[in-house]
Amino acid sequence: MSSKLSFVRIPKFVQHSFLVLLLAVTVVSAFYQKREKLPTIQPQTGQNYICEAPFSDNDDTFDVYVTDKSVALMSIERFCSDKVVRRQFGNVNVILGQNDYDTFRYINHGVVDLALVKSNVVEAFGADSIYGYENIASHPDYSAYFIALKEKPELSKEYLLGKQIGILDYPSSRSGHIVPKTVLKSLNLSDNNVELNYYNSHVELRRALLAGEVDIISSYWGKGDDEILSKNYITSLHSGVSGMRWYLKMQTRNTDLRCATQQVIKQIAASHPRAYYQRVDLEQECGSE
């Protein structure tokens, strides 16, 4: 007696659903397998500069935080050769901050001995009262502007509607972020009716404006701008924007270090190529009391 094999016919839509489910399971499984192998990406942190050789066996370093590379390079050169710094510390560590994450990390936690930052940053974190940061030198305050390429910007809702505006991607920047957003808010403008494009530096803002990527940028008017832009096409947003300040941690009355630091700041100002950094006022300058 012969036996016959019988087959159950599976509907096509069931076959299709099964294949889709199998494919989804395979993709999800592969994703998690790859995900486990991927290294954790740490936030970008500042670049460090140290002296060529330690001064002594002293493990204590003189830590300096700045956000301008030219100031960082001049700082490491001069602090490494300063007699007071060499006597009190084993080395110098200059950190070049790249973004607001760096500033928060080093200032909010009182990590560094000396910092060149805006006063609003120190005040916002309470770093002056918590860690004893004392303002020992100040660069000038300045004004913030809307800058365009071919016409003078107007501070009206009708004019700015639909405009592409370049600002900085740093919430702590007054001229490049805080002031323009405050002005737009006062005119009842937001991301819904203007296009905000974010950039990493004032140099990038100018590049974007000249390339036609944006209609307007928010920035200061600096040395060299007369050669590429027209002062006829700038509109003041705010005057008296807080300039850069040098803050030294003075939890102890280390007057030798305070005086030595002020002398280095004067040397940097005297030889810096940018007019802004050349202008500096020392607070209670050593020897002037």
Side-chain angles (χ1 to χ4, degrees):
M1 184 174 178
S2 62
S3 60
K4 292 185 179 180
L5 296 174
S6 60
F7 298 91
V8 178
R9 189 175 193 72
I10 301 175
K12 287 186 176 181
F13 77 90
V14 175
Q15 297 178 36
H16 179 71
S17 299
F18 176 75
L19 289 173
V20 170
L21 179 61
L22 181 62
L23 179 61
V25 170
T26 303
V27 170
V28 171
S29 176
F31 170 78
Y32 280 104
Q33 287 178 4
K34 289 197 88 168
R35 188 181 180 187
E36 291 175 0
K37 297 176 183 177
L38 290 174
T40 302
I41 299 175
Q42 299 295 332
Q44 282 189 326
T45 55
Q47 183 177 353
N48 293 69
Y49 301 90
I50 61 174
C51 304
E52 290 184 4
F55 312 140
S56 65
D57 293 331
N58 187 350
D59 292 331
D60 196 10
T61 60
F62 184 59
D63 298 309
V64 182
Y65 179 80
V66 300
T67 56
D68 185 287
K69 186 173 182 178
S70 61
V71 176
L73 294 174
M74 297 174 82
S75 295
I76 193 65
E77 178 185 352
R78 285 159 178 78
F79 280 120
C80 284
S81 60
D82 184 83
K83 292 181 180 179
V84 174
V85 172
R86 293 175 69 90
R87 183 169 65 244
Q88 295 190 9
F89 300 90
N91 209 327
V92 176
N93 175 34
V94 176
I95 303 115
L96 175 60
Q98 305 291 332
N99 47 44
D100 278 344
Y101 169 79
D102 288 335
T103 302
F104 173 82
R105 178 186 180 194
Y106 292 104
I107 307 303
N108 183 48
H109 298 291
V111 174
V112 295
D113 300 291
L114 178 68
L116 177 61
V117 291
K118 300 285 186 67
S119 60
N120 63 301
V121 172
V122 173
E123 292 164 3
F125 296 147
D128 48 350
S129 57
I130 297 173
Y131 301 110
Y133 281 116
E134 182 180 311
N135 178 208
I136 62 169
S138 303
H139 293 288
D141 293 345
Y142 55 92
S143 298
Y145 300 96
F146 269 163
I147 305 174
L149 193 60
K150 299 179 181 178
E151 63 180 0
K152 185 179 179 66
E154 298 175 15
L155 297 184
S156 68
K157 185 174 183 178
E158 295 73 21
Y159 176 83
L160 293 171
L161 273 173
K163 288 287 194 296
Q164 291 182 307
I165 302 176
I167 66 174
L168 286 186
D169 196 18
Y170 299 133
S172 64
S173 172
R174 297 289 300 277
S175 63
H177 192 104
I178 297 173
V179 171
K181 281 202 166 184
T182 301
V183 169
L184 292 174
K185 185 177 180 181
S186 71
L187 296 172
N188 293 318
L189 292 167
S190 66
D191 292 353
N192 297 324
N193 38 38
V194 295
E195 184 177 332
L196 295 178
N197 295 354
Y198 294 85
Y199 296 90
N200 291 325
S201 68
H202 289 281
V203 173
E204 273 294 294
L205 285 175
R206 283 155 175 75
R207 183 205 59 76
L209 180 63
L210 293 171
E213 294 178 14
V214 294
D215 303 306
I216 299 168
I217 61 172
S218 182
S219 185
Y220 55 83
W221 187 260
K223 183 180 179 181
D225 283 339
D226 285 309
E227 299 175 7
I228 58 173
L229 300 166
S230 171
K231 258 194 172 179
N232 293 324
Y233 300 146
I234 67 175
T235 300
S236 178
L237 299 179
H238 185 73
S239 59
V241 176
S242 175
M244 302 296 285
R245 307 279 191 266
W246 289 92
Y247 288 90
L248 180 66
K249 189 186 287 185
M250 291 289 288
Q251 291 175 317
T252 61
R253 301 312 300 174
N254 193 342
T255 53
D256 282 356
L257 181 62
R258 186 181 189 277
C259 294
T261 302
Q262 284 191 327
Q263 287 304 307
V264 169
I265 292 171
K266 282 179 67 175
Q267 293 169 16
I268 292 173
S271 55
H272 201 283
R274 282 183 56 187
Y276 179 76
Y277 288 115
Q278 292 170 10
R279 297 166 58 194
V280 64
D281 292 322
L282 301 182
E283 308 294 334
Q284 297 180 348
E285 183 177 358
C286 292
S288 64
E289 291 87 349

